[in-house]
């Protein structure tokens, strides 16, 4: 295995939208982009550039494109962090906006008959509007003009096989395309601008090592050495929900920019941690210690 990291500092336009999977009419949003969203931000531009046509066997059933399943399989860790408060970063606030959605295709039973009768007259139409176009609260995470860091660590050899390219290309010009080409975070409306991009060889830490980071880390992997941490629930690279530690104040509805990074001890052999040699406070952690 030969690891490679991809790092980008982003300037967000207004925020981002990462909705909770499995929700139907109700559409709550996450306050932080999970690891899969970070991988998607990097790989979106990569796939647009390469336009690979080779498909791989679908494994998890949770991805839109089979090639992304292969990319996730090559991923060792991924993470997100707001820039420090002193660097001018803003916080994150999750807001639920009242809006109308197209609900007619999902109605059953008596609701279907009500919709079919909508053309009979004004009274029938007004009675059916709530079924055809119901009012729902749609979640979005607002963080206007915020600075944020995202990092992705992958197995370069396995990733190159997914993409059908030579491993050396990832460490050269293709790596620049990946890091400088990030254009959105989450849904297509989450426009970002890249302020800095870098890629290369990360430093892997060992169980028992103490490190400092601004990025969220899986709670089962580390022991906080500072008290200034919060817990949020996100899904990991396997789409399973788990607890993550976040510096300073964070919840499902609001995240404050950190003042200083948090110190942790890596306590589990089932986890992996990689230091991104761009800034001193960027370590990305995952529970993929069984990756071979």
């Amino acid at each position: 295995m030969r690891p490679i990291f991809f790092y980008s500092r982003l300037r967000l336009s207004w925020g981002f939208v990462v909705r909770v999977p499995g929700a139907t009419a109700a559409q709550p949003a996450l306050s932080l982009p999970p690891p899969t969203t970070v991988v998607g931000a990097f790989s979106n531009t990569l796939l647009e550039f390469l336009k690979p046509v080779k498909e791989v066997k679908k494994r998890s059933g949770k991805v839109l494109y089979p090639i992304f399943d292969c990319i996730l399989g090559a991923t060792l860790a991924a993470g997100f962090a707001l820039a420090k408060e002193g660097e001018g970063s803003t916080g994150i606030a999750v807001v639920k906006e009242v809006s109308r959605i197209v609900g007619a295709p999902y109605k059953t039973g008596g609701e279907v008959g009500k919709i079919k009768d909508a053309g009979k007259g004004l009274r029938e139409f007004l009675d059916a509007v709530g079924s055809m176009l119901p009012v729902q609260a749609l979640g979005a995470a607002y963080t206007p003009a915020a600075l944020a860091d995202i990092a992705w660590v992958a197995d370069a050899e396995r990733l190159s096989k997914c993409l059908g390219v030579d491993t050396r290309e990832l460490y050269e010009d293709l790596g620049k395309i990946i890091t400088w080409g990030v254009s959105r975070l989450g849904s297509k409306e989450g426009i970002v601008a890249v302020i800095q991009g870098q890629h290369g060889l990360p430093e892997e830490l060992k169980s028992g090592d103490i490190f400092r980071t601004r990025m969220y880390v899986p709670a089962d992997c580390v022991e906080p050495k500072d008290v200034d941490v919060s817990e949020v629930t996100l899904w990991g690279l396997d789409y399973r929900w788990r607890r993550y530690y976040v510096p300073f104040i964070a919840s499902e509805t609001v995240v404050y920019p950190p003042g200083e990074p948090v110190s942790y001890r890596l306590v589990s052999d089932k986890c992996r941690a990689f230091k991104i040699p761009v800034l001193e406070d960027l370590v990305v952690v995952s529970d993929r210690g069984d990756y071979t």
Side-chain angles (χ1 to χ4, degrees):
M1 184 200 71
R2 188 180 180 188
I4 184 172
F5 79 84
F6 304 98
Y7 160 81
S8 296
R9 167 152 284 198
L10 308 177
R11 172 75 72 182
L12 284 73
S13 175
W14 62 269
F16 57 88
V17 177
V18 181
R19 298 225 167 95
V20 176
T24 53
Q27 298 187 34
L30 298 181
S31 59
L32 289 166
T36 53
T37 299
V38 173
V39 177
F42 283 113
S43 59
N44 177 63
T45 301
L46 175 62
L47 296 179
E48 285 293 324
F49 177 76
L50 295 176
K51 298 189 182 300
V53 296
K54 180 182 177 182
E55 292 191 348
V56 297
K57 184 177 179 181
K58 198 170 184 180
R59 185 178 71 249
S60 68
K62 298 180 182 294
V63 298
L64 186 59
Y65 299 107
I67 186 65
F68 188 61
D69 204 24
C70 187
I71 292 173
L72 279 180
T75 297
L76 298 171
F80 170 95
L82 287 173
K84 292 181 183 179
E85 183 180 14
E87 294 176 316
S89 183
T90 58
I92 301 172
V94 176
V95 177
K96 292 182 178 180
E97 300 177 324
V98 176
S99 180
R100 287 194 178 272
I101 65 172
V102 178
Y106 310 102
K107 299 301 180 180
T108 59
E111 296 291 311
V112 175
K114 187 186 296 185
I115 293 172
K116 288 181 178 180
D117 292 339
K120 293 181 177 180
L122 179 60
R123 178 180 297 179
E124 289 80 5
F125 174 78
L126 293 176
D127 190 40
V129 166
S131 298
M132 294 186 297
L133 299 169
V135 175
Q136 292 293 342
L138 307 182
Y142 282 87
T143 176
L147 284 174
D149 297 309
I150 59 174
W152 174 31
V153 180
D155 179 345
E157 295 172 348
R158 185 175 294 189
L159 182 60
S160 63
K161 290 180 180 179
C162 291
L163 303 172
V165 300
D166 191 280
T167 304
R168 290 176 297 178
E169 294 182 64
L170 293 173
Y171 288 93
E172 296 173 355
D173 289 345
L174 192 54
K176 295 179 181 178
I177 292 172
I178 295 172
T179 57
W180 285 96
V182 177
S183 59
R184 62 184 175 91
L185 187 65
S187 66
K188 63 182 179 181
E189 297 87 2
I191 304 300
V192 301
V194 178
I195 305 298
Q196 180 184 1
Q198 199 164 324
H199 66 287
L201 188 66
E203 175 189 346
E204 184 166 9
L205 306 180
K206 305 185 297 296
S207 180
D209 284 352
I210 296 176
F211 61 90
R212 303 176 76 221
T213 186
R214 283 181 288 112
M215 293 195 156
Y216 52 60
V217 297
D220 293 337
C221 293
V222 299
E223 174 186 285
K225 307 301 290 183
D226 299 327
V227 297
D228 204 9
V229 295
S230 300
E231 286 188 23
V232 298
T233 303
L234 304 169
W235 62 80
L237 294 169
D238 57 0
Y239 290 95
R240 294 180 180 178
W241 292 93
R242 50 178 51 84
R243 295 179 303 115
Y244 283 81
Y245 288 130
V246 183
F248 200 36
I249 300 173
S251 69
E252 272 66 38
T253 57
V254 64
V255 179
Y256 282 77
E260 294 295 332
V262 174
S263 294
Y264 302 95
R265 183 192 298 274
L266 187 64
V267 297
S268 176
D269 291 329
K270 297 181 180 180
C271 301
R272 306 190 81 151
F274 297 89
K275 186 173 183 179
I276 308 302
V278 179
L279 298 171
E280 293 183 355
D281 56 359
L282 286 183
V283 174
V284 60
V285 183
S286 78
D287 55 2
R288 304 201 90 170
D290 57 349
Y291 182 95
T292 58

